[in-house]
Amino acid sequence: MTDDDRAADRMNLVWKRYDLQLRHVFRIARGARTTVPVMILELHHDGIIGYGEASPIKRYGESPETIEEFFRKINLAPFESPMALENILQYVNTIAEGNSSAKCAVDLALHDWIGKKLAVPLYRLWGLDPEKTPLSSFTIAIDSKEVVEQKVREGEHYPILKVKVGLENDEEMITTIRSVTDKVLYVDANEGWTDKHVALERITWLKDHNVAFVEQPMPAGQFDDLKWLRDRSALPLIADESVLRLSDIPALAEAFDGINIKLMKSTGLHEAMRMIEAARALNMKVMLGCMIETAVGISAAAHLSPLADFADLDGNVLISNDPFDGVRNINGRLQLRNTPGLGVTPV
Ligand code: MG
C-alpha cells in the first residue's frame, strides 16, 4: 500500500449545521424556543457514508461551536475502519469530558456505516423485533389554553400525549387537555416543582387524570427530596435530567421507578444499550426520549426501542424542515425501515 492509497483509505469526517424550525414555540419549565441548531456528521470510508447527529444540550454546556471544536479534535488515523467501533468509542470518550451529543454523533455515524457495510438494519444486527416498537407519545408544551387545545387536536391521531408541566398553570394544562380528550398522558415536570410537598400534591391530583407516570418532578440536585417523594408518590417517577450516562443509574434506583434514556446524553447507541441492561438489572422501567432532532437521531433511538417500555420519540415530528427521511411515525407507531444501518436518507 502506498501513502496515497492509505490516505484515500482513511476515515473522513465531514459536518454541517442545520437550523431546525419548530412548528410551534416550544415552552417547558426552563424556557422557550423556536429554532434548534443541530450538527449532522458524515463518516466517509470505503465508498460508504455513515450519518450521525448532535443536538447540543445547553444545560450541559454544549452548543454548535463546542460540537465543532470537539469534531476537530478527533483523529481516526490510527484506526483501520469503523468496524473498530469499540476502540474508536473508547478513544472518543477520552478526548474531553462531557460533549455527550458530539460523542453521540460519532457513535451513530459508526453504527450507520457498519449496518450499511453489512447490509443490515441496526435492529436486525441486534436481533430485535421491529414489530415491538412501543407507541411514541406526542408532546404538548406549556402554552395558553387556546394553543394547548389546538395542539391536542393536532395530535388527535396519537394514542398517547406527553404533557409538559412545572409552571403555575399545571392544573389548567391538564384540565384543558381533558376537555378535549381522555387518552393516556405522560407528564413531564422538567424539574419544575422545587418544593416536595407541592410536588406530592400535584402528583396526587394527577393520579385521577389517567396519567401513566411523572418524569423528573423535582430538580436533579434535590436527590433526598426525590427519594422522599418516591416513597409517597401515587404514580411511577421516571428520571430524565437526573440521568445522563451508565454510571448514574445505580444510585437512581432509590429515587425513581425508571429512566428516560436519550442518545444525546448517553453518548449514543453503544452506551444506551448498556444503560437499558443496567436499568433492567435494577428492575427499573426504560423510556427512550429525544431532544429536538432530525430523522437521524430519532431513527437511531427507534432501532433500540423494541427494548423499551415507553417511547417519546417525536423530536422530528415537531419540526417543519427535517433534512432527512427515516423511521416513520404513523400516529405514534414507529415504523422501522428495512434498509441498512439507521435507514436514513437525505431529502
Ligand atoms: Mg423530560
Side-chain angles (χ1 to χ4, degrees), residues 30 162 164 188-190 215-216 238-241 260 262 265 287 290 312:
R30 269 192 301 278
K162 173 161 150 171
K164 296 287 193 178
D188 188 356
N190 284 109
E215 216 180 299
Q216 199 71 38
I238 307 287
D240 182 2
E241 284 83 347
N260 183 353
K262 293 178 178 165
K265 295 191 297 182
M287 173 176 187
C290 61
D312 174 35

